Structures are given as structure tokens and as C-alpha cells.
Amino acid sequence: MAETERMRILVAEDDREMLELLDQVLSEEGYRVKAVSDGAAALKELETGDFDLVLTDIRMPHASGLNVLERARASYLHQPVILMTAFGSIESAVEAMKAGAYSYIPKPFDLDELLAQVGEVAHQVRLRHDTSPAAIADGPFPIVFKSKAFQHVMDLVADVADSQATVLVTGESGTGKELVAREIHRRSTRKDEEFVAFNVTAIAENLVESELFGHLKGSFTGAVSDKIGLIQKAAGGTLFLDEVGDMSQAMQIKLLRFIQERRIRRVGSVNSDEVDVRLIAATNRNLSERIRQGSFREDLYYRLSVVNVYLPPLRERREDIVELAYHFLRRFNKEGQITGFAPEVLALLADYPWPGNVRQLENAMEYASLRRKQGTITKTDLPQWLGTDAENQPLDGRSLDAVERQHIEQVLADCQGNQSRAARILGINRRTLGRKLKQYEES
């Protein structure tokens, strides 16, 4: 199917001759066009229509192109907006780019240039349908991005998905390691089988072996019945081991043996069973450093990292911040009464270092949506820690560790010392928070 056949474009332009020209040219190219002559009509179409692209003038009666941009971004995740602007409105267009516009084109413009930009969007729409279906962004496990940095990640995901290679996903807490692991599984030949996720730090260390490999009744105190382990449960599918860098030395040996032999032995059993499972591991630890320290096995590292997928932190892909903020707003805006963000909020979000990465941004948007029931989210709706760090504290010149420590301590203070609640807001587990607090006490 041709790319243009999938493209439905909303064109908003108050100059009648220009509107008719754009309608004609785009229609001749094979696009499906809905043309309206003012901002209010464009807003109405956005309420009822599903468009792949919005092409709008900035200055229009009743509602501006910036209003149209805000509504489009608040309503739909994958709807690019291209702004057409006269020379005197270039500054507004640049601000709109910061607010999430796909691009802008100054008037008078060359039609070939405009068609080239529209063609780029058409290509993205085709990729979204064919290789990155809407389920990636709108399903239960969304991956939302705009940056080239994360596009490189998704390109590697596409390359490795159909192989049987073991994958190690690395990156800071909250960068989306499990989401990427699920996407690898979803694109693989194992997609119709189980995806089983297990965080090795989520339970007591002495129970990890039983959880992974299973056990026989009576094999230890509390083993009141036979149990199938998670590796066997994931047979035919994918097993995702999170925070593998914190696995004990004893479990590292057992995991290494399984990877080598692809056989498991339940606790208390003398027999072993062969299991066909794809293994994806993840860690926020520097495994090379842990190998030097002697706390992680080098041979296990090489077995796990046949393919290494590194997820950049949010501060290194700032183009994604606005995309993600709007995405989370849509998720939490259940009644559809919140219309978007004030410009100063978007600027604040874009400038914040986000030591807790995407999870931290998600929690900030959930908090803001609870505060603001309808209308535009303003700075007063944001968590206090975000405003404090972004406005009153000089972030430049400080190390990331210092920023992270200040942020953690501020969140903990806001939660009146409740570590479980603070960990949820920070997007890390309770044990990780406890470990960081212990480090701060010792430093």
C-alpha cells in the first residue's frame, strides 16, 4: 500500500486561495485532505477526526495555530503538526517547536519543500503501521520517543528481535528497560508465548533459586508443594531478569550453568529438564566495574551480553520529554478535561535533569493531573520538588550524583520519611532506595 493512502491530513489556513491550493496539491499527491478556514473549525475537527498530520497556519481567526497544536498534542500521541508561518511569526514557530511541533515552514514557501516535509511524515506513518504499530505507543506497555538517540535503540531492537541471542539491556533506573525487553519479545518469533519478568532483588536472596528453577515438596522449610520455576513457566517464550547486576555469586553460578546447558534442576531434585527460553537481562549497574570489584562473574557477563542494548537517560534525549509529558497527560486525563500545558511548564520540564528518568516524569504528570482537574496545567500543579530543583537550585556545575542525591532527599522529605512512597515517586524499588540512603550516610 502506498504511503499516501494511509495519510489523512487536516489543513487549517484562513487565506482562501492558499487553502484551495494546498487542498488541491495534497489531494493530487494521493493524501486524504480535510481543509478548514479558521482555528475554531480545526479544533472541532480534532475532536471528531483521526488525522495523521495537521498542517496549520499560526495566525488564524477564532483560534491560533498554537491553540491547534496544543489541542492536537493533548489529544493524540502520534499526530505531527507542521506550522506555516509568515516571517514575522518565526519566533512563535520556534517556541512551538519546543512545545512539540514536528516542524515549521516559513511563508512564502516552495510547494516541493512542503511536500518533502509531508512525505517525511508519511514515511513515519508507514513505519508506525508496518514496523512500529500503534500498540508500541498506545498499548499497555508504551514506548514513546522522538529523539534520534532512542531511534538507534529501536533500530537495534528490530535487528535483534528475530534472533535467539541473549540480550543485556543496560541503563539507569527508570529508562524503560522492561519496556524494551517486552518490545523485543513482541517482535520475535516467540511473541505468542509467555513473557515472564522477574526482578532478582524483589524477594529474599535465599528464595531466588526456588523462584527461578522451582522446587520439590519438602525440599526446604516452607516448601509445602511442588513448584514450577519461572524459567520453566517461560518455556517457548522469553524470560526477563531485571537487576541481574545485584544477583548473588551463588545464583550467578547457577544462572551461568543454565545458559550454558539450557537445563534446569528444581531445588530438591536430582533430575534436570531441558528448557527452550529466550533470555533478556537488565541492569542499572556498571557491570565492568563490578567485575573489577569481584562481585560479578566475567564469564556470566559475556554470556548475557551477546547483544548489549544501552538505553540513554532522559537528560540525553530531551526531545522526548515533551512527547512523554503529553503521553502521560493523556493517560491520566481520564475525563479529557485537561487541555495541555502552559508554555512555562513545558520549558521547565525540558530543562529539568530527571535523575529518575521516564518513571519520574510519569509520576510528575500523574501528580499534576490529580491537582489540575480541567484546563491547562500550570507550574503550581507540578510537584514541589520539581519546581524547587528547577528554579531555586543551581544545577550547573554539580555532578549528576549530587543532583540525584538532592532530589532523593527532597522527595523523601516530601513523603515524611516514608521510603516506600518515595521509592514509587522516584521510580525505583524500595531496596535500591535503601541502598542509596545507606551510601549517603556513609559518605
Side-chain angles (χ1 to χ4, degrees), residues 149 285 442:
R285 296 284 198 158
E442 295 173 350

Side-chain angles (χ1 to χ4, degrees), residues 62 95 128 226 429:
H62 309 303
E95 290 302 312
R128 194 164 71 239
D226 291 353
N429 67 49

Side-chain angles (χ1 to χ4, degrees), residues 7 9 16 49 55 60 62 79 92 150 178 207 216 221 265 267 293 311 361 369 416 433:
M7 280 283 288
I9 304 177
R16 179 64 63 177
L55 180 61
M60 295 184 294
H62 309 303
Q79 191 172 77
S92 297
F150 211 86
E178 182 173 343
L207 297 177
L216 298 182
T221 303
R265 180 180 297 166
V267 177
Q293 295 171 350
L311 306 190
L361 175 58
S369 67
Q416 288 80 48
L433 176 59

Side-chain angles (χ1 to χ4, degrees), residues 340-360:
F341 300 96
E344 63 269 20
V345 169
L346 292 174
L348 193 156
L349 297 178
D351 290 340
Y352 189 72
W354 299 109
N357 291 295
V358 179
R359 247 188 247 134
Q360 184 188 6

Side-chain angles (χ1 to χ4, degrees), residues 249-261:
Q249 288 277 355
M251 275 307 305
Q252 289 179 42
I253 295 172
K254 291 180 171 65
L255 178 60
L256 177 62
R257 184 180 300 121
F258 165 70
I259 295 174
Q260 292 171 333
E261 301 174 357

Side-chain angles (χ1 to χ4, degrees), residues 314-331:
L314 193 53
R315 65 185 175 276
E316 292 180 6
R317 51 186 184 104
R318 292 190 177 276
E319 308 98 300
D320 295 338
I321 293 174
V322 171
E323 297 283 318
L324 287 160
Y326 273 111
H327 168 68
F328 292 131
L329 174 62
R330 281 183 285 273
R331 175 188 294 177

Side-chain angles (χ1 to χ4, degrees), residues 300-312:
L300 176 58
Y301 171 75
Y302 288 119
R303 288 285 186 174
L304 291 174
S305 61
V306 175
V307 178
N308 192 331
V309 179
Y310 169 71
L311 306 190

Side-chain angles (χ1 to χ4, degrees), residues 214-220 223-227 266-270:
H215 63 252
L216 298 182
K217 178 180 179 180
S219 56
F220 57 86
V224 296
S225 62
D226 291 353
K227 177 179 179 178
R266 295 196 209 180
V267 177
S269 175
V270 296

